[in-house]
Amino acid sequence: MPDRLKNPVHILLVDDLPENLLSLEALLRREGLVLLKARSGPEALEILLKQEVALALLDVQMPEMDGFELAEMMRGSERTKRVPIIFLTAGTTDHSRRFRGYEAGAVDFLQKPLEPDILKSKVEVFFELYRQKQHIAAQRDALQSAFEENVRLLNESRKYAEALKDADRRKDEFLATLAHELRNPLAPIRNGLHILKMSPNPKIADEVRDMMDRQMTHLVRLIDDLLDVSRVSQGKIDLRRERIALQDVINAALETSRPAIDAGGHSFTLDLPDEPIPVNGDLTRLAQVVSNLLNNAAKYTPDGGHIRLTLTRDGHEARIIVTDTGLGIEKDMLPRVFELFTQVERNLNLSQGGLGIGLALAHRLVQMHAGSITADSEGAGLGSTFTVRLPVTDLEGVAPEGVEPAAKAGAPLDVLVVDDNRESAQTTSWMLELIGHQARMVHDGMDAIAAAKATPPDVILLDIGMPGMNGYEVCRELRKHKALKDTVIIAQTGWGQERDRQSAFEAGFDHHVTKPVSLDRFTQLLGDIQGAQTAADGPI
Ligand code: ADP
């Protein structure tokens, strides 16, 4: 039942004689009805100020203010002008004195002595009328709130539709940018291949190879960023936190970003404090954040600008501040640059490329370190400042988490490379041989099992997506054989999501690496395996 209908109905009784009030009260008392008694006009008006009533029963003859005067006053006020009135008069009815508002309706006269039944039934009529009024008001309230709810839902669905449209537009823009960004490094790589095929002189060949290496690194970084951003948005990035000095983070970032700064002909100032600033962080991820800021500074500053990196400490807060003298960012865009796929629209000839994910990723990674990242700029053309704030750690000597033992040199490993893509298998084998191992190649799961059973290798580098038996099935099968119990099986795949790693470990793989695997990664991974084998064999 709506609240309004739970409320009792109020009726006002006005008479200067208390005994009359009492007998009226006794006569009219019933459930759901509250009788408000007043002994004079002013007292009645005071009650009416506070309480809405369904009916007023007014004695006509009262000292000070008679019933008619009171009624006149009630009709004069917006709040009470529609309250029905029944006058109670003694003696003969004086028509000339009848209330002027009679024609307004809902006014009645009852002669004293009162007929109890008549009075009761008249009051009942007004009681019911008032109840109906309450019902209608409750229905109106319900309709009003349903209407408001509908308007709210409509606005909300409009907002969602807008957001969807916006997301759809951003997705289209993103796909176009992605295609563009992937094509950018692919074009020089293909050109490089053509040049190499024409057997140029060794100097040019070296330069072309360096260029191809740089472009490939760029391509791999783009794809890594894409995968990272997807992992981050699903909360699937694990930090390997340890006590590290922020100076080391900055040096690692500089190693990555120096070429971009130099390529832009920018001058660079590094302002580091002497005292190491310790944080509990993931060195690789924090370096990724700083390097992102430095790359952006280099990218969004016209050639020959100035970039400065300052590291400071203020109590328990460390600050890494990257400032440039570049294109700057309009005020309204400042908070938005950390949103995914946001790129400040600029004059096309200033367009610098990128996917609009770097800062979103940096933002999330800093947040995961309980820190914050902010952007500042005085406006277009006035340079930008990015500030990363991180909590300084008080923990002394936290043991590094997840750090592998240093690789020890050992005997060459016998590696079985399994990949249905022959070129991928061939180039991987060459790489392995170049770093001093022996490689054998097979191109499907059945051959892999047969080859491994015939001569158990030290390491199996196994592709996942293969026709016939996939890598997981092959790995499960291999693990059934006693002779292959100690063989290190590495999943080498283009699927780099956390759940892919998980599936690989569940199938019995020891390691999971995503393609393309760099020579450094192979050297480190196989070196670690060699080291572990040497340690297990013990001193000779
Ligand atoms: P991307 O550089 O790939 O476009 P980011 O997420 O790194 O993506 O940056 C988002 C946007 O923020 C950039 O497109 C650029 O418009 C703006 N931005 C980032 N860093 C700077 C900077 N140092 N100066 C001016 N604009 C910047």
Side-chain angles (χ1 to χ4, degrees):
M1 179 165 40
D3 282 350
R4 266 177 199 282
L5 299 182
K6 286 186 213 145
N7 297 338
V9 175
H10 291 80
I11 287 184
L12 177 65
L13 310 176
V14 191
D15 200 311
D16 57 320
L17 298 177
E19 59 273 25
N20 284 354
L21 286 174
L22 280 178
S23 57
L24 275 173
E25 191 179 22
L27 187 68
L28 299 175
R29 184 176 291 144
R30 58 162 284 183
E31 202 189 326
L33 181 65
V34 174
L35 297 157
L36 304 168
K37 294 171 293 209
R39 292 193 45 197
S40 68
E43 207 182 311
L45 288 172
E46 218 176 295
I47 292 174
L48 288 169
L49 273 180
K50 292 184 213 134
Q51 180 61 54
E52 187 182 314
V53 299
L55 172 69
L57 292 176
L58 310 186
D59 181 26
V60 174
Q61 277 134 11
M62 288 187 293
E64 200 181 341
M65 180 192 288
D66 72 14
F68 292 144
E69 283 168 311
L70 173 57
E72 292 280 355
M73 298 204 70
M74 286 170 63
R75 286 290 182 258
S77 143
E78 191 53 40
R79 194 178 149 78
T80 49
K81 75 186 204 191
R82 269 174 279 276
V83 173
I85 297 170
I86 297 179
F87 291 110
L88 309 176
T89 64
T92 54
T93 319
D94 176 354
H95 286 275
S96 65
R97 287 203 64 220
R98 277 200 172 178
F99 172 53
R100 277 190 277 130
Y102 191 56
E103 66 276 11
V107 174
D108 203 353
F109 286 84
L110 287 180
Q111 206 74 38
K112 288 185 183 171
L114 300 166
E115 279 282 346
D117 286 345
I118 293 182
L119 178 63
K120 273 176 87 163
S121 64
K122 289 209 173 201
V123 167
E124 185 65 25
V125 168
F126 286 105
F127 179 91
E128 281 308 321
L129 254 174
Y130 191 78
R131 272 277 184 247
Q132 273 175 24
K133 209 172 109 188
Q134 280 179 318
H135 260 291
I136 291 167
Q139 279 168 351
R140 191 197 56 215
D141 285 354
L143 274 174
Q144 179 67 24
S145 47
F147 174 73
E148 279 163 11
E149 178 63 8
N150 279 340
V151 170
R152 193 185 64 76
L153 288 174
L154 188 70
N155 285 338
E156 207 156 282
S157 54
R158 272 202 196 120
K159 256 198 328 228
Y160 282 129
E162 279 302 315
L164 268 178
K165 245 167 61 189
D166 194 44
D168 195 43
R169 185 184 50 74
R170 286 210 277 171
K171 183 208 71 194
D172 285 345
E173 275 173 17
F174 170 70
L175 286 177
T177 317
L178 180 61
H180 175 257
E181 287 305 305
L182 292 178
R183 216 176 275 143
N184 267 350
L186 283 177
I189 290 174
R190 174 183 271 172
N191 293 345
L193 277 174
H194 285 312
I195 297 169
L196 289 180
K197 261 193 222 155
M198 290 152 74
S199 313
N201 71 47
K203 189 170 168 295
I204 293 187
D206 274 353
E207 276 180 27
V208 168
R209 270 195 290 271
D210 285 351
M211 175 277 290
M212 287 171 77
D213 191 32
R214 274 196 307 279
Q215 295 297 335
M216 188 57 85
T217 308
H218 177 62
L219 198 59
V220 171
R221 194 174 312 137
L222 272 181
I223 292 167
D224 281 349
D225 272 2
L226 270 175
L227 288 176
D228 277 353
V229 93
S230 140
R231 276 185 226 146
V232 157
S233 59
Q234 297 174 57
K236 282 188 177 161
I237 276 202
D238 295 325
L239 295 181
R240 289 167 155 227
R241 294 178 83 164
E242 56 184 299
R243 184 185 158 92
I244 48 171
L246 278 179
Q247 280 88 339
D248 292 340
V249 168
I250 288 164
N251 287 329
L254 266 174
E255 236 166 70
T256 316
S257 302
R258 197 83 213 203
I261 298 173
D262 293 344
H266 305 302
S267 58
F268 179 69
T269 310
L270 182 61
D271 203 353
L272 297 182
D274 296 333
E275 252 326 85
I277 301 185
V279 295
N280 179 26
D282 182 324
L283 190 129
T284 313
R285 293 305 186 179
L286 288 178
Q288 189 180 355
V289 170
V290 178
S291 145
N292 204 302
L293 298 182
L294 288 171
N295 286 346
N296 277 352
K299 193 159 70 161
Y300 297 107
T301 301
D303 286 1
H306 183 69
I307 298 169
R308 168 185 283 269
L309 190 157
T310 312
L311 173 65
T312 60
R313 175 178 182 160
D314 183 5
H316 287 288
E317 186 178 270
R319 270 182 227 147
I320 304 169
I321 305 161
V322 177
T323 311
D324 63 54
T325 53
L327 301 183
I329 302 168
E330 298 281 3
K331 280 263 173 293
D332 57 332
M333 278 308 288
L334 280 174
R336 293 201 49 206
V337 292
F338 297 106
E339 288 172 16
L340 198 54
F341 308 143
T342 294
Q343 294 187 297
V344 179
E345 276 179 37
R346 303 181 198 277
N347 195 329
L348 264 186
N349 53 21
L350 287 178
S351 154
Q352 299 295 323
L355 290 175
I357 54 181
L359 287 181
L361 194 57
H363 181 239
R364 258 316 272 146
L365 289 173
V366 171
Q367 268 187 341
M368 286 169 75
H369 281 87
S372 66
I373 180 167
T374 48
D376 266 305
S377 173
E378 289 303 313
L382 298 172
S384 313
T385 298
F386 285 83
T387 307
V388 175
R389 292 181 167 78
L390 289 167
V392 174
T393 183
D394 294 320
L395 300 173
E396 284 298 327
V398 182
E401 292 163 30
V403 174
E404 308 272 316
K408 292 185 202 157
L413 297 170
D414 173 20
V415 187
L416 179 65
V417 179
V418 189
D419 198 324
D420 61 315
N421 182 328
R422 286 168 188 268
E423 287 175 358
S424 176
Q426 182 62 75
T427 46
T428 305
S429 301
W430 282 336
M431 274 164 77
L432 295 177
E433 281 163 7
L434 277 171
I435 56 173
H437 301 287
Q438 290 155 6
R440 298 187 260 155
M441 269 187 292
V442 286
H443 303 297
D444 69 47
M446 297 301 278
D447 285 352
I449 294 163
K453 272 163 64 180
T455 318
D458 298 312
V459 177
I460 302 177
L461 202 54
L462 186 51
D463 185 29
I464 297 290
M466 290 187 294
M469 281 177 100
N470 68 34
Y472 300 130
E473 291 162 338
V474 177
C475 186
R476 280 195 203 96
E477 192 55 39
L478 289 170
R479 287 295 184 214
K480 287 184 190 157
H481 298 280
K482 242 195 178 152
L484 299 172
K485 205 167 51 61
D486 295 329
T487 303
V488 177
I489 311 184
I490 305 171
Q492 188 194 9
T493 154
W495 304 108
Q497 304 274 35
E498 191 49 39
R499 63 166 182 272
D500 303 315
R501 296 171 62 79
Q502 213 47 50
S503 311
F505 295 135
E506 280 162 19
F509 281 98
D510 298 295
H511 298 276
H512 178 278
V513 291
T514 37
K515 287 180 184 174
V517 184
S518 67
L519 197 61
D520 286 349
R521 181 76 179 110
F522 270 136
T523 311
Q524 187 220 344
L525 188 57
L526 295 183
D528 288 349
I529 294 168
Q530 262 177 329
Q533 277 191 354
T534 313
D537 294 346
I540 306 162

